[in-house]
C-alpha cells in the first residue's frame, strides 16, 4: 500500500512527456538540413502516435491526480474545520463559565456559608449538650421529672430544644433569601441580563433586609450571652472536680440550687468523697457536655459575625441601588431633554422649509 502511494506521488509530480512535438518543432525550424528520409518520416509519425498515447495517459493520470488532490484537500479542510469548531466550542464554554462565576455575589456567599456553619454548630451541639445535661441531672443529682405539668428544668430544656429547631429552619430560609437578594442587587447580574429598572419595591426590600438583619444580630448577641451561662456552670463543675482530686480532705460540694436548676426546698447536693461525685467527675458525659456547650458558644459567635458581614453587604447593596436609582432618573431626564430638543429642531426645520417654499 505504501509503494502504491509513492508511485502515485511520483506520477503526479513528474511532468508529462511529449516526444513527437519536439521532433516536429526541430523539423519546422530547419534543424534537419538534409531532406528528411521516409524512414525518418515514419519514425516521426510513429513518435506522433506515441506522443498522442502519452498525452491521453497524462490526461487520465492528471485527472486521477486532481481527484486525489481534491480528496486530500477536502479531508484537510474537514480536519481543520473540526479543530476550529472544537476550539470555538471550548472558548465559548470558557467564556460562559467566566461570566457565570462573575455573576456570583461572593460577599453574600461567604456570609451565607458562615451563617449556616454557625447555626448548624449552635443547633447541633446545643441540642446534644442539653440531652447530656438531662442525663447528668438524672443519674448523679437524682433530679426527677415532675409528674404534673410544671415548669421545671426538664420542661425548660424541652422548650429550648424546640426553639433550636425553629432557629435552624428559620435561618436556613433567611440565608437563602439574603443570597437571592445579593444576586439581584449585584452589578454582575446587571451586566449579564442587561439594565433593569430600580423600583420602589426593590429599595423597600433592601431596607427591610437591613433592619431585619440588624434585629437578628442583636438576637444572636443575646443567644451568645445566654449560651455562655452553661459554659460557666460546667467550667465551675470541672474546676471543682479537678481541685477535689488534687486536694485531699477538702470538702467541696456541688449544689444545683445555686444555679436555680431545682427548687430551694430540694437538697440535691453532691459533695467530694461520695461515690456519685467521683463517678460524675470521671464520666464521659460531663466532659462531652462541657465541650459541646463550648462548640455551641462558638457557633453563636460565628452567627453574630455572619450577621455583621450581612449588614456590610446589605449596606453596600443599598448604596448601589440608591446610586442606580439616581442614575436612572438622570438618564430619564436626559433622554426627555434630548427628545424635546429633537422635536424643536425638527419643528424649526419644517417651518423654514415651508417659509422657503
Amino acid at each position: 500500500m505504501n509503494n502504491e502511494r509513492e508511485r502515485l506521488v511520483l506520477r503526479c509530480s513528474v511532468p508529462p512527456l511529449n516526444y513527437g512535438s519536439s521532433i516536429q518543432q526541430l523539423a519546422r525550424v530547419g534543424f534537419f538540413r538534409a531532406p528528411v528520409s521516409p524512414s525518418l518520416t515514419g519514425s516521426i509519425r510513429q513518435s506522433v502516435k506515441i506522443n498522442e498515447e502519452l498525452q491521453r495517459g497524462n490526461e487520465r493520470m492528471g485527472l486521477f491526480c486532481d481527484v486525489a488532490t481534491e480528496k486530500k484537500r477536502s479531508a484537510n479542510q474537514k480536519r481543520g474545520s473540526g479543530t476550529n469548531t472544537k476550539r470555538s466550542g471550548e472558548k465559548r464554554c470558557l467564556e460562559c463559565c467566566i461570566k457565570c462565576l462573575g455573576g456570583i455575589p461572593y460577599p453574600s456567599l461567604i456570609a451565607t456559608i458562615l451563617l449556616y456553619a454557625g447555626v448548624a454548630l449552635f443547633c447541633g451541639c446545643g441540642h446534644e449538650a442539653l440531652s447530656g445535661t438531662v442525663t447528668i441531672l438524672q443519674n448523679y443529682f437524682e433530679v426527677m421529672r415532675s409528674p404534673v405539668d410544671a415548669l421545671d428544668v426538664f420542661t425548660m430544656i424541652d422548650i429550648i430544644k424546640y426553639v433550636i429547631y425553629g432557629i435552624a429552619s428559620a435561618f436556613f430560609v433567611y440565608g437563602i433569601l439574603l443570597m437571592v437578594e445579593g444576586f439581584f442587587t449585584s452589578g454582575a447580574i446587571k451586566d449579564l441580563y442587561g439594565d433593569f429598572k430600580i423600583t420602589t419595591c426593590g429599595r423597600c426590600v433592601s431596607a427591610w433586609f437591613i433592619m431585619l438583619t440588624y434585629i437578628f444580630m442583636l438576637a444572636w448577641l443575646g443567644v451568645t450571652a445566654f449560651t455562655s451561662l452553661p459554659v460557666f456552670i460546667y467550667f465551675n463543675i470541672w474546676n471543682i472536680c479537678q481541685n477535689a482530686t488534687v486536694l485531699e480532705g477538702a470538702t467541696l460540694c456541688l449544689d444545683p440550687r445555686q444555679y436555680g436548676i431545682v427548687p430551694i426546698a430540694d437538697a440535691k447536693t453532691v459533695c467530694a468523697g461520695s461515690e456519685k461525685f467521683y463517678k460524675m467527675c470521671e464520666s464521659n458525659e460531663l466532659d462531652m457536655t462541657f465541650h459541646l456547650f463550648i462548640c455551641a458558644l462558638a457557633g453563636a459567635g460565628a452567627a453574630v459575625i455572619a450577621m455583621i458581614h450581612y449588614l456590610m453587604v446589605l449596606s453596600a447593596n443599598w448604596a448601589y441601588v440608591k446610586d442606580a436609582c439616581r442614575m436612572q432618573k438622570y438618564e430619564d431626564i436626559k433622554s426627555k431633554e434630548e427628545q424635546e430638543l429633537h422635536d424643536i429642531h425638527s419643528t424649526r426645520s419644517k417651518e423654514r422649509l415651508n417659509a422657503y417654499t
Side-chain angles (χ1 to χ4, degrees):
M1 194 69 180
N2 295 327
N3 293 329
E4 291 179 359
R5 289 181 180 175
E6 291 176 358
R7 290 175 186 174
L8 178 61
V9 172
L10 289 174
R11 288 178 185 175
C12 293
S13 61
V14 174
L17 299 177
N18 195 348
Y19 297 104
S21 62
S22 60
I23 295 174
Q24 290 176 356
Q25 289 174 2
L26 291 174
R28 287 176 183 175
V29 297
F31 182 79
F32 302 102
R33 294 183 180 180
V36 179
S37 61
S39 60
L40 181 60
T41 304
S43 62
I44 290 173
R45 291 176 180 175
Q46 187 177 2
S47 65
V48 169
K49 292 180 180 180
I50 295 171
N51 186 24
E52 291 176 355
E53 292 179 357
L54 287 173
Q55 285 180 354
R56 293 173 185 173
N58 288 330
E59 289 177 357
R60 294 175 183 175
M61 184 59 66
L63 181 61
F64 182 75
C65 291
D66 291 338
V67 173
T69 305
E70 188 66 25
K71 288 183 179 180
K72 186 176 180 180
R73 187 180 300 167
S74 63
N76 291 330
Q77 288 179 356
K78 288 180 180 179
R79 191 180 304 160
S81 63
T83 306
N84 293 330
T85 305
K86 186 177 180 181
R87 289 179 180 175
S88 62
E90 291 178 355
K91 188 176 180 180
R92 290 176 183 175
C93 183
L94 181 61
E95 290 177 356
C96 183
C97 291
I98 292 173
K99 188 175 285 188
C100 291
L101 291 176
I104 298 174
Y106 290 101
S108 298
L109 180 62
I110 293 171
T112 304
I113 293 173
L114 187 61
L115 177 64
Y116 282 167
V119 171
L121 196 64
F122 171 77
C123 293
C125 295
H127 184 274
E128 294 299 319
L130 290 173
S131 300
T133 301
V134 172
T135 303
I136 291 173
L137 290 175
Q138 290 178 349
N139 294 337
Y140 302 107
F141 289 94
E142 296 181 355
V143 179
M144 304 304 295
R145 188 181 292 270
S146 178
V148 295
D149 294 335
L151 188 61
D152 55 355
V153 62
F154 298 105
T155 306
M156 293 177 63
I157 289 174
D158 292 336
I159 292 172
I160 294 172
K161 285 184 179 180
Y162 286 117
V163 171
I164 287 174
Y165 300 151
I167 289 173
S169 59
F171 278 92
F172 177 77
V173 176
Y174 190 67
I176 294 175
L177 292 176
L178 288 177
M179 192 68 189
V180 171
E181 196 270 344
F183 269 108
F184 278 103
T185 54
S186 61
I189 293 298
K190 181 180 178 181
D191 296 336
L192 282 176
Y193 298 102
D195 195 6
F196 60 92
K197 296 294 183 181
I198 304 299
T199 59
T200 306
C201 181
R203 296 196 299 271
C204 291
V205 167
S206 298
W208 173 257
F209 273 121
I210 291 174
M211 183 183 68
L212 201 61
T213 305
Y214 183 75
I215 294 172
F216 283 151
M217 185 196 68
L218 296 178
W220 274 108
L221 284 174
V223 170
T224 304
F226 180 76
T227 311
S228 63
L229 295 177
V231 174
F232 176 72
I233 293 172
Y234 276 96
F235 176 76
N236 288 335
I237 295 173
W238 179 80
N239 195 13
I240 290 173
C241 290
Q242 295 295 323
N243 293 329
T245 55
V246 173
L247 300 175
E248 296 181 358
T251 305
L252 300 175
C253 296
L254 293 173
D255 193 355
R257 292 179 297 179
Q258 296 176 351
Y259 308 106
I261 298 175
V262 297
I264 299 176
D266 296 336
K268 304 292 182 181
T269 305
V270 178
C271 296
S274 62
E275 184 178 358
K276 290 183 180 180
F277 181 82
Y278 289 109
K279 283 184 179 180
M280 183 185 66
C281 292
E282 294 175 358
S283 64
N284 293 324
E285 287 86 358
L286 180 64
D287 189 44
M288 182 62 68
T289 304
F290 178 43
H291 288 90
L292 285 173
F293 272 119
I294 292 175
C295 293
L297 179 62
V304 172
I305 296 173
M307 290 291 105
I308 295 173
H309 198 171
Y310 266 129
L311 278 176
M312 293 187 292
V313 172
L314 291 171
S315 300
N317 291 338
W318 166 256
Y320 166 74
V321 170
K322 193 174 181 180
D323 293 338
C325 182
R326 291 179 179 177
M327 185 60 67
Q328 179 185 341
K329 290 180 180 179
Y330 171 74
E331 289 178 356
D332 292 339
I333 294 171
K334 185 178 179 181
S335 62
K336 288 180 181 179
E337 290 179 354
E338 290 178 354
Q339 186 66 31
E340 290 176 357
L341 290 174
H342 180 71
D343 295 339
I344 293 170
H345 181 72
S346 61
T347 304
R348 288 181 179 179
S349 299
K350 290 180 180 178
E351 290 177 354
R352 290 176 182 177
L353 183 62
N354 293 329
Y356 179 75
T357 55

